[in-house]
Amino acid sequence: MAIGTVAKKTARASLAAFSLAGMFASAAHAAELEVTGYIEPEFQLFPQSPSGSEQRRVNASVAAEVTFESFWDNSNQWIVVKPFARWDRRDGNRTHADLREAKYARVVDNWEFRIGMDKVFWGVTEAVHLVDIINQTDLVESIDGEEKLGQPMIMVSSFWDFGTVTGYLLPYFRERTFPSLSGRPAFDIPVDETQTRYESGAKRQHLDFALRYSNTFDIWDVGVSYFRGTNRTPILQPGLNAGGEPVLIPFYAQLDRVSTDIQATSGAWLYKFEGFWQEQLDEGNLQATGGVEYTLYGIFDSPADLGLVAEYVWDDRGANRQNNFANDAFLAFRWTANDVASTAILAGTTVDLDTQALGFSIEAERRFGADYFVTLEGRFFENIPRSDPGYSFEDDDLIQLRIARYF
């Protein structure tokens, strides 16, 4: 997609977001409108030479997000609009805009209703969130899968003594974002989104739905979910573009999935598990991940805490192109200073127990003054064989600095 086209879409999305904000603010009548947000320059350094001729070793971009919130009726009704946009110097696909949220919500007795664009998170583990499926991944923002696109939905939730039951209607599907030829990190073979395919003839208009039950039993937090609809993770099929060059073509299959996420808290210990059974393209599949986290409080007679994490990820298909984590171990530590500046460091390594491929990440963050928040992140890949799904990232080690100014 050309940068000019993206810029026009960005402008239209931004105008739509502010129009929605104005409309929602009017709908809230005399309710007070609160506006917060941030603007965040980002600087990226890739220590290794790129594999693509259009890629570079340095990059810069700037992102901004604004949150409009209005509560009334004793906070039983509220509206949230949260537009997000990024301009990237090199990657036209990363220059994009999105409505992360644009929702109206209301609570009546033990019922809650929401309609609009929203973000929903399921999961408890650190390395990978297997059960988190409502929102699409915004892959151009981060390859760790943590950043998500807003999802159109109608949500109804009911709270009872026996637990919380929530239903979701998802009337429109959002495709995954992918880097362009000039983007990094990126696949060695580019993804051609213009040839995207679907198993369902309804394509983006397929009506997905999900059900979820959650509750707390003593030390146990338990969630059980069912999802039926378009899989958010595409199968990347080999193909050719209009010029006869090799590309990867996203194919979105239909999916039935039953999942569970469980966390137990016992003193300084956390025990975590996520897993699911799914059926896709007439084949069943099991995936699971679990582990423990232990926190050392007040280390060295200081206010700081140190959390130690160990997890394992398993896929019954073994090594496959649809899942980077099929037989992997994850070890990490989380150091939190517990100071007024919110200083913290998270570092971890992932080891593929089949190929011995290594991934290492470290993220340090700290607030400066009342308005600035700085994040320094590093991602490094070592010993990745060609047979590993992550081979494309072997030459995409990344050092990234973000400086957010909040208002």
Side-chain angles (χ1 to χ4, degrees), residues 107-166:
V107 174
V108 180
D109 297 326
N110 61 328
W111 293 83
E112 181 180 335
F113 306 87
R114 296 186 188 183
I115 185 170
M117 303 283 285
D118 204 358
K119 292 174 69 174
V120 174
F121 173 76
W122 298 344
V124 294
T125 55
E126 188 74 42
V128 58
H129 306 301
L130 290 180
V131 304
D132 191 31
I133 195 172
I134 295 293
N135 291 83
Q136 178 60 273
T137 298
D138 193 356
L139 196 65
V140 296
E141 281 297 305
S142 177
I143 63 171
D144 63 10
E146 296 287 338
E147 299 295 333
K148 301 291 183 176
L149 299 172
Q151 170 64 45
M153 69 175 68
I154 299 172
M155 188 207 81
V156 180
S157 192
S158 185
F159 309 94
W160 305 91
D161 291 338
F162 60 82
T164 300
V165 179
T166 307

Side-chain angles (χ1 to χ4, degrees), residues 120-270:
V120 174
F121 173 76
W122 298 344
V124 294
T125 55
E126 188 74 42
V128 58
H129 306 301
L130 290 180
V131 304
D132 191 31
I133 195 172
I134 295 293
N135 291 83
Q136 178 60 273
T137 298
D138 193 356
L139 196 65
V140 296
E141 281 297 305
S142 177
I143 63 171
D144 63 10
E146 296 287 338
E147 299 295 333
K148 301 291 183 176
L149 299 172
Q151 170 64 45
M153 69 175 68
I154 299 172
M155 188 207 81
V156 180
S157 192
S158 185
F159 309 94
W160 305 91
D161 291 338
F162 60 82
T164 300
V165 179
T166 307
Y168 305 86
L169 282 179
L170 312 169
Y172 183 79
F173 176 76
R174 303 202 63 192
E175 296 178 359
R176 180 163 296 190
T177 59
F178 292 97
S180 68
L181 284 172
S182 58
R184 295 182 77 180
F187 299 109
D188 289 339
I189 301 175
V191 178
D192 187 352
E193 298 163 84
T194 65
Q195 299 190 62
T196 297
R197 302 165 182 165
Y198 291 86
E199 181 183 2
S200 169
K203 298 183 179 180
R204 290 187 178 187
Q205 280 70 43
H206 188 275
L207 181 62
D208 302 343
F209 71 90
L211 292 171
R212 180 169 173 84
Y213 165 81
S214 60
N215 201 5
T216 299
F217 305 93
D218 192 22
I219 66 171
W220 300 90
D221 296 311
V222 178
V224 179
S225 308
Y226 173 71
F227 173 88
R228 185 172 190 176
T230 307
N231 195 344
R232 273 49 181 161
T233 302
I235 300 171
L236 297 178
Q237 301 175 328
L240 299 175
N241 63 14
E245 300 168 323
V247 293
L248 297 174
I249 300 172
F251 173 76
Y252 293 96
Q254 290 298 292
L255 180 73
D256 280 281
R257 176 184 289 183
V258 179
S259 65
T260 185
D261 51 279
I262 302 169
Q263 178 170 287
T265 305
S266 179
W269 288 92
L270 287 178

Side-chain angles (χ1 to χ4, degrees), residues 302-318:
S302 73
D305 300 332
L306 179 65
L308 306 175
V309 182
E311 294 178 355
Y312 174 70
V313 190
W314 172 80
D315 187 325
D316 70 349
R317 296 170 296 184

Side-chain angles (χ1 to χ4, degrees), residues 83-105:
F84 169 85
R86 178 180 296 280
W87 172 84
D88 190 275
R89 181 185 176 191
R90 302 198 182 279
D91 188 352
N93 286 4
R94 200 164 184 246
T95 296
H96 70 302
D98 180 47
L99 271 176
R100 298 306 205 210
E101 298 179 37
K103 64 188 176 187
Y104 164 74

